[in-house]
Amino acid sequence: RKEVEQDPGPFNVPEGATVAFNCTYSNSASQSFFWYRQDCRKEPKLLMSVYSSGNEDGRFTAQLNRASQYISLLIRDSKLSDSATYLCVVNYGGRRALTFGSGTRLQVQP
Amino acid sequence: DGGITQSPKYLFRKEGQNVTLSCEQNLNHDAMYWYRQDPGQGLRLIYYSQIVNDFQKGDIAEGYSVSREKKESFPLTVTSAQKNPTAFYLCASRKDGNNQPQHFGDGTRLSIL
């Protein structure tokens, strides 16, 4: 079983739609969580950290469910510019690097 | 502006040749990382370093080597032992602390001639 699992998609949605992605992680000792965005042939960029209480940044909302070991990302009022791959990232703590999921591809259509 | 600089942006390797990818950061981060990304795939960890003069193998270290002689610099050498080196290579750094994210350079694309 992969440490961090995501539905690869693609999710094809019209402009203005609301879309949600889930990501599951296997290690219950995971300490911190992030969503990154990666555009085609570019480096990943931090979208937002995911806090236990959930957090919101404009049209983006991230939630953490420790009991079920998943995190989610909700995008409201999708824009064409939201088209990208969204990477779920987990930190197990200690000396290790962050663990990246393989990403979920979103395509917002006019 | 603080950031992570990778060079070159594109690199071509001949058979049997070693090539070195540069990664420099001026963020004063202790930890630095190298990842490899193949088309349509996720990131795979090659090597990481938490402190100067110390580094650890990641999941796919075979055929690669690194050094960490200075805090700012973490070069990656792709040796001739790496038989399938064509990929997108990403360097990242991170501030100390469990809740800190990683920050990435803009990558180096390596291809075989």
Side-chain angles (χ1 to χ4, degrees), chain B:
Chain B
D1 274 346
I4 303 171
T5 302
Q6 288 188 242
S7 63
K9 201 169 179 68
Y10 300 95
L11 186 58
F12 298 92
R13 194 192 89 169
K14 293 180 184 176
E15 286 286 337
Q17 186 182 41
N18 292 355
V19 292
T20 297
L21 284 58
S22 169
C23 178
E24 304 277 330
Q25 54 100 0
N26 60 5
L27 299 166
N28 200 33
H29 288 171
D30 284 307
M32 296 187 74
Y33 310 86
W34 275 105
Y35 291 90
R36 167 183 174 140
Q37 188 175 36
D38 292 281
Q41 304 295 315
L43 278 67
R44 292 187 290 167
L45 182 65
I46 305 172
Y47 267 100
Y48 65 103
S49 168
Q50 298 283 7
I51 198 168
V52 174
N53 292 323
D54 184 57
F55 48 83
Q56 310 294 331
K57 291 182 180 180
D59 301 315
I60 55 163
E62 188 174 343
Y64 300 97
S65 66
V66 293
S67 62
R68 186 86 187 276
E69 296 174 5
K70 297 187 300 181
K71 187 175 186 177
E72 303 80 20
S73 178
F74 191 39
L76 173 74
T77 297
V78 184
T79 74
S80 57
Q82 174 47 249
K83 297 305 179 190
N84 185 21
T86 298
F88 186 39
Y89 289 87
L90 288 157
C91 177
S93 72
R94 183 165 170 250
K95 198 173 168 182
D96 249 355
N98 284 330
N99 294 326
Q100 296 298 321
Q102 283 177 195
H103 301 274
F104 286 86
D106 57 7
T108 293
R109 290 198 180 276
L110 175 62
S111 302
I112 294 184
L113 277 178

Side-chain angles (χ1 to χ4, degrees), chain A residues 17-43:
Chain A
T18 295
V19 61
F21 312 131
N22 278 348
C23 159
T24 58
Y25 60 94
S26 59
N27 190 331
S28 59
S30 300
Q31 298 184 358
S32 52
F33 309 86
F34 309 92
W35 283 102
Y36 280 70
R37 169 195 170 125
Q38 186 174 25
D39 292 290
C40 189
R41 300 177 69 82
K42 299 283 191 182
E43 76 277 19

Side-chain angles (χ1 to χ4, degrees), chain A residues 17-21 59-60 73-78 82 86 106:
Chain A
T18 295
V19 61
F21 312 131
R59 297 181 294 109
F60 298 84
L73 178 68
L74 180 80
I75 305 175
R76 288 181 297 278
D77 188 23
S78 299
D82 293 334
Y86 290 84
L106 171 66

